[in-house]
């Protein structure tokens, strides 16, 4: 299954919006409040009869609606959905025509992805989830509460012959690999049998996996949560994670991550789940830098504060040769990358040049000289402008 198109009218802060999705990676970027999460919510609510109060109509509309088109086994299917309530106190709204028959192939990860330490007192069987329970997961997002229990059960059962299928063993090895997939100096070490704790090696020292950094745990939440969900849902037949060809929705993919890890995470997902469709929101120029142009959906607000899809500059090699600043302005629509204080001082310097006031220009230059990056070439140009005016420079 793949998401093909989405049309939204009068939902959340979106008046009208038409989107088409790439069958692989889709990164949605844009300012806060532009509707990135609303897009993900419209998609997820299309698959569950279970309702929630997180998706409401726009206050300017009597009824909000959206249409989602999906492709299943080379056939396109479209369905319409609507919302009539606006106030939070009004009842939940349910989708009677949801794509419930495709629930198995949709996983949702919200922006809150905690991974706290939990005690596992016993190894339990995999849960048997009903359709309505999976619907709640689709609307509320994947939970972390049984990630640890799932890994422990697979690890313990792998010590006995014929308890796990080849697919389960393959997924377990992938899960072990995930502990160090983003940082080579971190690796899975062992499971402590008496306490059921997962022990890792981090830069030569032992550490419980729940005590890794927030960014690291955010990545593990996504990867281990995905493997766990695939194992819990696909039982007959079992499948390997690499063969999953459904859809994964992720809000704030770059959450808690250093820029170096943000870029690396894109390649990791393409490696781990090569056949899946990923639709994720992000504020990371580093992720956009390594993505292909067809994988980007850039949203903006026009002069009337209406959401629209921005037309991006075309580039054969994507934006891999662009600087972060160029991506921020030309792809993400940031109007200015410099601080207001700097712009104010720079404006004052230009005014002093126009007024031919070398004393004031010299004072302002000294301030700019202290503000600029040590290797900023602009300093040399400012120095030449000041010298032409006859100003002095403090050494």
């Amino acid at each position: 299954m793949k998401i093909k198109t989405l049309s939204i009218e009068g939902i959340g802060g979106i008046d009208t919006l038409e989107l088409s999705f790439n069958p692989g990676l889709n990164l949605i970027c844009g300012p806060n409040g532009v509707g990135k999460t609303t897009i993900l919510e419209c998609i997820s609510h299309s698959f569950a009869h279970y309702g929630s109060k997180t998706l409401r109509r726009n206050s300017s509309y009597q009824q909000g609606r959206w249409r989602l088109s999906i492709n299943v086994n080379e056939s396109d299917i479209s369905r319409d959905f609507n919302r009539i309530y606006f106030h939070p106190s009004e009842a939940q709204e349910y989708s009677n025509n949801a794509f419930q028959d495709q629930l198995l192939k949709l996983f949702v990860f919200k922006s809150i992805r905690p991974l706290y330490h939990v005690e596992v007192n016993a190894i339990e069987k995999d849960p048997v989830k009903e359709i309505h329970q999976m619907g709640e997961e689709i609307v509320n997002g994947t939970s972390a509460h049984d990630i640890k229990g799932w890994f422990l059960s697979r690890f313990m059962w792998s010590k006995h012959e014929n308890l796990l299928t080849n697919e389960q063993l393959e997924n377990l090895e992938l899960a072990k690999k995930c502990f160090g997939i983003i940082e080579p100096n971190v690796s899975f070490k062992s499971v402590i049998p008496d306490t059921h704790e997962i022990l890792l090696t981090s830069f030569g020292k032992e550490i419980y996996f729940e005590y890794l950094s927030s960014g690291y745990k955010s990545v593990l939440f996504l990867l281990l949560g995905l493997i766990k969900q695939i194992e819990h849902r696909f039982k007959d037949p079992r499948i390997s994670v690499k063969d999953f060809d459904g859809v994964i929705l992720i809000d704030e993919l770059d959450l808690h991550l250093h820029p170096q890890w943000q870029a690396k995470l894109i390649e990791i997902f393409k490696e781990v789940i090569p056949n899946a469709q990923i639709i994720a929101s992000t504020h990371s120029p580093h992720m956009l830098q390594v993505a292909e142009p067809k994988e980007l959906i850039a949203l903006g607000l026009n002069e009337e504060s209406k959401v629209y899809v921005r037309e991006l500059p075309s580039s054969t090699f994507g934006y891999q040769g662009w600087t972060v600043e160029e991506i921020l302005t030309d792809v993400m629509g940031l109007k200015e990358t410099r601080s207001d204080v700097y712009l104010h001082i720079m404006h004052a310097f230009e005014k002093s040049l126009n007024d031919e006031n070398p004393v004031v220009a010299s004072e302002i230059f000294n301030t700019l000289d202290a503000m600029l990056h040590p290797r900023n070439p602009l300093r040399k140009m400012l120095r030449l402008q000041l010298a032409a005016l006859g100003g002095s420079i403090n050494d």
Side-chain angles (χ1 to χ4, degrees):
M1 179 189 74
K2 297 292 185 289
I3 306 297
K4 295 279 288 186
T5 62
L6 174 65
S7 302
I8 302 175
E9 180 181 349
I11 296 291
I14 298 175
D15 285 294
T16 58
L17 189 64
E18 301 278 343
L19 298 174
S20 297
F21 296 95
N22 180 54
L25 176 66
N26 298 266
L27 295 177
I28 307 173
C29 65
N32 288 111
V34 80
K36 299 184 295 296
T37 301
T38 298
I39 292 169
L40 300 179
E41 294 284 359
C42 283
I43 296 174
S44 63
H45 280 69
S46 302
F47 288 81
H49 173 69
Y50 173 78
S52 78
K53 296 184 179 182
T54 60
L55 205 59
R56 295 298 198 186
R57 66 170 172 83
N58 189 307
S59 61
S60 300
Y61 289 74
Q62 292 300 313
Q63 177 176 276
R65 57 176 62 88
W66 74 91
R67 166 173 284 194
L68 186 72
S69 296
I70 66 174
N71 182 272
V72 180
N73 298 325
E74 305 301 325
S75 297
D76 291 344
I77 309 171
S78 298
R79 290 181 185 170
D80 296 312
F81 305 87
N82 62 70
R83 287 292 183 269
I84 60 174
Y85 295 141
F86 170 71
H87 197 277
S89 65
E90 293 179 297
Q92 296 178 349
E93 297 184 77
Y94 297 86
S95 301
N96 294 322
N97 62 334
F99 294 103
Q100 287 200 110
D101 55 332
Q102 299 299 322
L103 260 180
L104 287 175
K105 291 199 170 184
L106 178 67
F107 298 111
V108 179
F109 293 89
K110 301 285 189 173
S111 59
I112 300 176
R113 299 192 281 271
L115 200 57
Y116 304 122
H117 177 267
V118 293
E119 291 186 2
V120 177
N121 297 318
I123 304 301
E124 299 180 352
K125 295 181 179 180
D126 289 352
V128 178
K129 295 183 178 180
E130 303 295 335
I131 288 293
H132 74 276
Q133 292 175 308
M134 288 189 284
E136 291 177 6
E137 286 181 345
I138 294 299
V139 172
N140 297 325
T142 297
S143 169
H145 81 275
D146 54 354
I147 288 179
K148 185 176 183 178
W150 167 81
F151 182 86
L152 290 172
S153 69
R154 293 301 185 268
F155 181 83
M156 297 299 188
W157 295 343
S158 69
K159 304 302 179 182
H160 304 276
E161 290 188 12
N162 302 322
L163 284 185
L164 298 179
T165 66
N166 290 334
E167 291 81 7
Q168 289 175 305
L169 290 170
E170 183 178 330
N171 293 338
L172 173 61
E173 290 306 310
L174 174 60
K176 292 179 184 178
K177 179 182 176 182
C178 285
F179 286 110
I181 200 168
I182 202 164
E183 171 51 66
N185 291 300
V186 177
S187 61
F188 170 76
K189 183 177 182 180
S190 63
V191 168
I192 303 175
D194 295 340
T195 59
H196 295 153
E197 297 294 349
I198 301 172
L199 199 62
L200 310 180
T201 299
S202 176
F203 293 87
K205 300 178 181 179
E206 293 183 348
I207 185 174
Y208 295 121
F209 95 100
E210 295 100 334
Y211 296 154
L212 292 167
S213 69
S214 296
Y216 215 113
K217 289 191 291 185
S218 178
V219 174
L220 289 179
F221 188 112
L222 294 173
L223 296 175
L224 297 183
L226 175 63
I227 300 172
K228 178 260 298 185
Q229 287 283 67
I230 289 175
E231 290 242 322
H232 282 178
R233 289 193 189 179
F234 295 90
K235 297 181 178 181
D236 188 18
R238 296 284 184 180
I239 68 168
S240 299
V241 171
K242 63 179 176 59
D243 295 325
F244 175 71
D245 60 355
V247 179
I248 303 166
L249 306 181
I250 308 174
D251 201 6
E252 305 288 1
L253 179 58
D254 52 291
L255 194 68
H256 301 308
L257 296 182
H258 184 276
Q260 184 176 353
W261 283 7
Q262 291 174 6
K264 191 173 182 179
L265 188 58
I266 297 298
E267 302 305 320
I268 288 173
F269 268 105
K270 289 183 177 181
E271 174 188 347
V272 172
I273 41 175
N275 296 304
Q277 181 184 42
I278 301 172
I279 303 175
S281 66
T282 181
H283 289 285
S284 169
H286 303 279
M287 287 187 167
L288 306 187
Q289 192 176 46
V290 298
E292 299 178 29
K294 66 180 181 180
E295 297 172 335
L296 306 185
I297 299 174
L299 303 179
L301 293 172
N302 62 20
E303 295 179 353
E304 299 177 344
S305 297
K306 307 292 186 182
V307 181
Y308 73 103
V309 179
R310 300 181 64 247
E311 184 176 349
L312 298 179
S314 60
S315 175
T316 303
F317 297 98
Y319 307 105
Q320 299 193 52
W322 290 33
T323 66
V324 168
E325 187 173 77
E326 290 166 343
I327 293 173
L328 286 171
T329 54
D330 292 357
V331 178
M332 302 183 73
L334 188 64
K335 294 181 179 179
E336 183 55 67
T337 61
R338 298 165 296 182
S339 71
D340 291 339
V341 172
Y342 168 80
L343 293 173
H344 176 74
I345 295 175
M346 192 64 190
H347 176 73
F349 180 74
E350 293 171 351
K351 184 177 184 302
S352 68
L353 294 179
N354 293 332
D355 293 343
E356 298 183 354
N357 190 331
V359 175
V360 174
S362 297
E363 293 176 354
I364 298 175
F365 172 83
N366 291 329
T367 301
L368 288 170
D369 186 39
M371 291 182 71
L372 292 172
H373 188 279
R375 295 191 299 274
N376 193 325
L378 179 62
R379 180 181 285 102
K380 183 177 181 179
M381 186 185 75
L382 298 179
R383 191 185 298 268
L384 291 173
Q385 289 178 312
L386 182 61
L389 189 63
S392 60
I393 300 172
N394 292 338
D395 294 328

